[in-house]
Each structure stands twice: as structure tokens, then as C-alpha cells.
Amino acid sequence: MRLSEYASLDGTALAELVVAGEVSPAELVGSAQQAALAVDPALHAVVEMYDDPRIPRAVDTSAAFAGVPFLMKDFGAHERGRHQWMGSRAVDDRLTQSESVLAQRFRESGLISIGRSATCEFAVTATVESARFGPTHNPWDLGRTAGGSSGGAAAAVAAGIVPMAHATDSGGSIRIPAACCGLVGLKPTRGLIPTDASESVPVDFHTEFVVTRSVRDAARALCSLQKPSGIGPPADARPRRIAVAVEAPWLSAVDPAVAAATLHAARLCEQLGHTVEEATPQVDWPPLFEAMKDIWALGTLDTVRDWTDISATRCPAEIEHLTWELVTRARRLSGTAIIDALAKVDGAASSFAGFFDEYDMLLTPTLPTLPPKIGEFSPDMDLNTYYAGAVGRMEPAAAIFNATGQPAISIPAGLAGAFPLSVQFAAGAGREPDLLALAAELEAEIGWAAWTPPVHAGRPPATNPSTSEYEGHRA
């Protein structure tokens, strides 16, 4: 198989070739490794390529993604006997002694892990620019972030290294990088996908899934990975009532090009026979956002102390300042403050649930602007500076649905020059089939499968730029 062919196909198409006997899993793994060699020096999307990818001796032809190469994120679900650095200088080179439930599901679905993708330290920011590994570059523009915290996964998929990759989402970490890199990013309903999330955090916004190039890969992955008591079959193509909002309490100032792409998606929905009208759920955003930060802080504290010693009262040299601020914030929370934060989140969830009794979906921008330039974020930032800056301002539009628990999907909607712009659809809990059905309709209309970033494994090597002009930004 030519590398250009491999890099152009989604996971479903590659699996079909494996099942038909036209290509072997070993050949696909070889293509993925070749693709990484071609483009990852420019991207820094992969923190480890395995010398010994665990290729099964026999192909399970019933598996959804039989023989398809895959990347695990350096955070969240983990494989037995592999490293997991969590993007942090504070984590040593220990090998994991257990395997997470989701990693088992990935393997049972036929996916073959070939390595691990880059993330920010403990997955806490909307960009991957860690002190340990430096920045991950966007294949559409090497000077811009690929998003976070699943930025390595998104950059690798967009550049053709693998057709899909593991991603996590506690505050937009699937949808933000998917939007930055022109991919499909579905955040499932909270609790639908099995994870090893800690039970010591009272409400965990965390979920795990994948980033993909095609809607059908996302739909097939959802069927393979969800819990047995999950959602039903794919939805029909009935007309839906869609609310659209380019202004909302949780949306920071939206760039005109992003607003135009969102309204263009709304018009396409109308042309497809759906009813579209302007409407917005109402929440008291500033106190809700502070409550969300409290819950993120609790989750960060819980994760960090599982991986490194944080008994010190001052920030250890190995831990980034922003991470330590979250740890410190969590330690200062009283029981009353935690209960208050949970009440605010519960109130927002109730408000959105009521909204989705009236509307089938809500359409908003995924990001308020184009992805920020690399270097606008620093691991030494404090929390207030982070959220006032270009990177932190990306989070709220996506994170609101982590707080409320509803599913949301980011899809490409248009191009600003040669850069993809994305929109986000959200729906009521368990309504993933509706989201995927509409996304498939729009995929056929918009045709983003034909969009290829300048850095891509399917291009001749001489046409792929390097990061040499951006090396000054590396940590």
C-alpha cells in the first residue's frame, strides 16, 4: 500500500481492506510508522513510538477496526507494560502494571496501538506546550497550537499518521483539538464510555473517546466502546429543531469568520429540512465557571497525587506552575465550597436539560477564534492569566457541556483562507445517534474529507514544511 493511499483512508476503509485480505495489519502498522517518520519531526505529536507494537497473530474479522493502527494518549486509559508520562517532568519512567478497561475495549475493537500521543501536563490546558516535551504543532499552520489536551492525537490524525486516536475530555480536550485540526470530535454523554476515573472526586467531568477524520469512524467507535447499557441504534433522518447561538454567556467574543461559519452551518441545516432558530440556554456564567474550576482542581489534585509526591507546600521544580495552582486551589476548598460548586453545576445541568426538552440540538462555535499562536501560553502562567489569554479563552464554549454532561460533537464547517473552522452541536443526554446522523448529513454537504493540511503524510516529502523557523518557541 502506498503511503499516500494509507494516509487518505479512514479507519473503516482500512479495516475493510484488512477483512478482505487486501492488506495485513503488519503492513498498516508499517505504513503508520513510515507516516510518523515523514511528518512527526515537524509536529511533535508523538511522544513514543513502540518498537514492539502488539500485532495479533490472527485477524478478528468481526472487529470494528480490525488491524487499524492507533495511538494512545499519554494520559487516561493505559496499556499494561507501557510508559505513561502524563506530559510531566514529575513522572518517572515506570511501566504501567495494569490495563484500563478502555484500553481493553480498543484492543477488542481491532485497533493496534503503535505508540502514544503528546499531551500537556496532566491534561490541564487547551494547548500542548509542556515543559517536558515542548509544543505540538498544528499541521495546518506550524506556528499555531493543535489544541489540548489531546493535541498530539489530533495533530497525528489530521496529518495522516493514524486514522483515529485515543483522546480524553474534561473541559473540551476532544473537541478543542478536533476543531484546531479540522477533525470530528465527539464528547459522549458523561458515563457512557467506561473509564478508570477516580471515585474520590464527587463529580467528574472526565470522559474518554477518540478523534477521527470521518463521522462513520466516530459512530462505529461509539458502538464498539460504549458500556453494554449504552445508547440505541443510529437515528433516522427526521427533521430536527435546532437552536443556534453565536452569542451566549459562556462564549467569549467570537471572531467574525467563526460566526459566519456557524451561521453557514445553520443555513445548511435549513436546506437539509431542519428547523433552525436563534435561542440560548440561560446560565449565570461567572459563578458557574468558578465552580467548574473548583471541580477541575479537585480532579487535578486527585490525578497528580497518584503519580508523584506533592507533599511539599511550595511548587516542586518538576511541576508546572499552572498545575500547582490547581492543586493548591483544591487543597483550599472547604466541604461547603465543594457542595456549593456541585449545586451550581447541577443547576446548569437542569437548565440545559430543560432547553433540550424544547430543542433537539444547539449549534454554537467550537472555538471563538482561530487557534492561538504557539508561545502565547507558558507553563509558568498563573490561573487568572491563563483564562484571560488566548488559550484559556478557547475552553468555555466546549467546557460548558462537560459541566452539564450532555454529548457534543465538533465538525469542520468551512475554511478561513486555508485554515479549517469548526462548529459544535450539542444534544440531550444519550442523543449521540441524532448528533451523528446530522453530522453525517453535513459531512456529505461540506466535503471536508477532501481538505488536507500542508503537513501530511500523503504529500511528497519535499512539500512538508519543517518546524525550524518555530524552534525558538520550544520549551
Side-chain angles (χ1 to χ4, degrees):
M1 173 178 280
R2 297 189 308 275
L3 185 56
S4 58
E5 181 184 7
Y6 164 79
S8 71
L9 298 176
D10 68 359
T12 299
L14 291 175
E16 289 172 349
L17 292 175
V18 170
V19 171
E22 296 182 32
V23 66
S24 71
E27 288 176 290
L28 292 185
V29 168
S31 293
Q33 292 168 331
Q34 185 181 353
L37 287 172
V39 298
D40 198 59
L43 299 175
H44 305 289
V46 182
V47 294
E48 183 181 18
M49 288 291 290
Y50 298 148
D51 294 329
D52 58 338
R54 296 162 182 170
I55 302 173
R57 294 181 179 179
V59 175
D60 178 3
T61 56
S62 67
F65 297 104
V68 174
F70 187 70
L71 285 169
M72 296 293 293
K73 183 176 177 178
D74 190 30
F75 178 88
H78 54 275
E79 303 168 277
R80 187 189 307 274
R82 298 295 193 191
H83 293 117
Q84 194 164 40
W85 293 312
M86 315 293 278
S88 176
R89 297 170 297 183
V91 178
D92 60 28
D93 285 340
R94 77 186 80 171
L95 298 177
T96 55
Q97 299 303 307
S98 63
E99 183 149 293
S100 65
V101 173
L102 185 55
Q104 294 173 21
R105 294 280 179 95
F106 287 141
R107 188 177 63 253
E108 290 164 359
S109 71
L111 293 164
I112 300 174
S113 175
I114 63 167
R116 289 177 304 117
S117 66
T119 186
C120 47
E121 184 174 68
F122 295 108
V124 301
T125 63
T127 185
V128 177
E129 299 178 58
S130 73
R132 178 164 187 167
F133 293 112
T136 293
H137 299 262
N138 193 314
W140 290 91
D141 179 345
L142 292 174
R144 295 184 185 271
T145 179
S149 62
S150 307
V157 172
I161 296 176
V162 288
M164 57 194 297
H166 171 224
T168 70
D169 196 319
S170 296
S173 290
I174 287 174
R175 290 155 292 145
I176 291 170
C180 287
C181 296
L183 300 176
V184 176
L186 171 67
K187 181 199 79 71
T189 301
R190 186 188 301 155
L192 183 63
I193 303 297
T195 69
D196 296 338
S198 170
E199 296 180 358
S200 63
V201 178
V203 169
D204 196 340
F205 295 160
H206 182 75
T207 191
E208 303 191 30
F209 193 52
V210 293
V211 288
T212 67
R213 294 189 208 123
S214 68
V215 174
R216 68 175 184 172
D217 273 6
R220 182 174 281 209
L222 191 69
C223 291
S224 299
L225 301 175
Q226 66 178 314
K227 293 178 179 177
S229 58
I231 60 174
D236 57 26
R238 64 179 175 82
R240 292 173 172 82
R241 190 178 184 197
I242 301 170
V244 59
V246 293
E247 294 182 1
W250 61 89
L251 280 172
S252 55
V254 174
D255 185 272
V258 175
T262 306
L263 296 176
H264 173 66
R267 288 191 294 273
L268 284 178
C269 289
E270 288 182 318
Q271 292 170 16
L272 291 167
H274 305 291
T275 300
V276 180
E277 56 190 82
E278 292 186 16
T280 310
Q282 293 303 307
V283 293
D284 190 1
W285 175 247
L288 173 61
F289 196 33
E290 291 304 311
M292 291 164 62
K293 293 174 191 175
D294 286 343
I295 293 171
W296 284 326
L298 289 169
T300 301
L301 171 62
D302 192 64
T303 300
V304 174
R305 67 186 174 192
D306 282 345
W307 287 88
T308 190
D309 179 11
I310 55 170
S311 59
T313 56
R314 303 180 71 176
C315 182
E318 297 82 7
I319 293 181
E320 296 173 14
H321 181 76
L322 195 62
T323 304
W324 191 252
E325 274 219 6
L326 288 166
V327 167
T328 302
R329 181 175 181 135
R331 285 173 164 170
R332 291 174 178 166
L333 288 173
S334 66
T336 301
I338 294 171
I339 291 171
D340 184 57
L342 294 175
K344 288 182 172 64
V345 168
D346 186 59
S350 296
S351 175
F352 273 70
F355 184 84
F356 287 120
D357 285 339
E358 185 174 358
Y359 293 95
D360 294 308
M361 297 179 198
L362 172 64
L363 164 62
T364 72
T366 312
L367 305 176
T369 65
L370 288 178
K373 296 290 184 70
I374 286 172
E376 293 194 37
F377 165 83
S378 166
D380 295 326
M381 279 180 169
D382 61 51
L383 205 57
N384 288 336
T385 302
Y386 171 72
Y387 281 114
V391 173
R393 290 200 303 270
M394 289 197 292
E395 290 190 24
I400 185 70
F401 299 108
N402 294 89
T404 61
Q406 278 98 357
I409 188 169
S410 178
I411 60 171
L415 293 168
F419 205 94
L421 298 174
S422 292
V423 297
Q424 177 177 222
F425 289 88
R431 302 295 294 273
E432 283 87 346
D434 289 344
L435 291 175
L436 289 164
L438 179 63
E441 287 186 276
L442 291 170
E443 182 179 38
E445 292 293 320
I446 296 169
W448 65 72
W451 304 351
T452 304
V455 179
H456 192 266
R459 293 181 182 274
T463 67
N464 275 319
S466 75
T467 55
S468 57
E469 62 186 291
Y470 306 108
E471 287 297 311
H473 294 306
R474 295 195 63 195

